[in-house]
Amino acid sequence: IKRMTDLDLRGKRVLIREDLNVPLKDGEVADDTRIRASLPTIRHAMEAGAKVMLFSHLGRPTEGEYSEENSTKPVARHLSKLLGKEVPVIKDWLDGGFSLNDGDVVLFENVRFTKGEKKNVDETAQKYAALCDVYVMDAFGTAHRAEASTHGVTKFAPEACAGPLLAAELDALGKALGNPARPMVAIVGGSKVSTKLTVLDSLSTIVDQLIVGGGIANTFIKAAGHNVGKSLYEEDLVAEAQRLMAAAKAKGGEIPVPVDVVVGKNFDANEPAVVKKVNEVADDEMIFDIGPETAKQYAELLKTAGTIVWNGPVGVFEFDQFGEGTKALGLAIAESPAFSIAGGGDTLAAVAKYNIADKVSYISTGGGAFLEFLEGKKLPAVEALEARGG
Ligand code: 3PG
């Protein structure tokens, strides 16, 4: 794959696809992680003397229709502050008709307002390509989508390359999964086995130790024969959990089941946390976290790891009293000398809450893209760049 940093961008019209799909609150950016992650790419292009055009999707608007709530204007305002330079939004950008000086930067309106974007229509992608001399794919968070701005345009642009953020993500994830320092430990949390089954399947063949948490663990607890009371779990996936546990045993390891858990009777911010042995959960209780003994055991497993991959909290960490398990594992990751990677929206919120961002080796900006990478799937945007050659 060609890299943006290897190209001479001076005087060139450079079209950069970023993933600026950030949460908004009251018309302002609520979490700017993705915007900050794209800054080095944008600065590099500006300083290299390019005419910089940025584009991204924001949310999931109806295709072909402008909607104020999905406008990229708040993103441009925020970006202007971070860059210390006004970033104008161009509403009707598809047919060109605007002019830029070298070093200028503009942000287009939401690319998903454009007809043919989602469906990756060639004519749409050709129009994007006609705007530029160089197309830069930098949106790792959207690399699992084959849309006109992430896939089609790569075929038609005069020159197509990977931006620094995309390249860094691929390097870090490739390092963690391709040739990991061992032992490799993966923590997969989150609410449902069903949404993570392929991730669990794929990781279980690569890692030396798989740890499950959150609602996912409840299905494994049930699979181990314990009562989970009113906890969230998936009855139809108990057999899958048993299969994964048996496969780990056959390899001489195990997917551990918590020895203790934290329970409550109501899903409520003020619900008191009660620690119980895993075989003592009552019919009217719900499991909201791993217990302290379990957290200690899991943290011990992380101490000796060479590589750690983390996706998904192990408890309802939004409520402080049910966040101790996630906090303990987060701190263990932070203290571990292992090469560690964290990704996924909830995981990043936990990383922020427990203040460990500086201590995780690499934090991915991908949600769905991060999961698909872990699943071993080829990302369409990356495939398109590969097809253009290096
Ligand atoms: C994400 O937030 O995961 C990406 O920006 C992709 O968004 P999408 O799921 O709407 O394609």
Side-chain angles (χ1 to χ4, degrees), residues 19 21 34 57 59-60 112 118 141-142 144-145 147 367-369:
D19 187 333
N21 182 31
R34 282 179 165 170
H57 72 289
R60 295 176 176 171
R112 284 191 183 159
K118 278 286 307 167
T142 329
H144 60 313
R145 304 279 182 229
E147 297 173 4

Side-chain angles (χ1 to χ4, degrees), residues 9 60 106 178-179 223 250 267 298 332 368:
L9 303 178
R60 295 176 176 171
V106 294
N179 188 15
F267 186 82
Y298 292 177

Side-chain angles (χ1 to χ4, degrees), residues 6 9 93 97 99 120-121 170 181 201 219 227 280 295 312 316-317 333:
D6 292 335
L9 303 178
W93 51 273
S99 69
N120 200 9
V121 172
L170 296 177
D201 260 330
T219 302
N227 182 22
E280 290 174 351
V316 185
F317 75 101
I333 293 170

Side-chain angles (χ1 to χ4, degrees), residues 345-363:
D346 289 342
T347 316
L348 299 200
V351 163
K353 175 159 181 170
Y354 302 120
N355 243 319
I356 53 168
D358 295 347
K359 300 199 181 93
V360 178
S361 313
Y362 191 80
I363 295 182

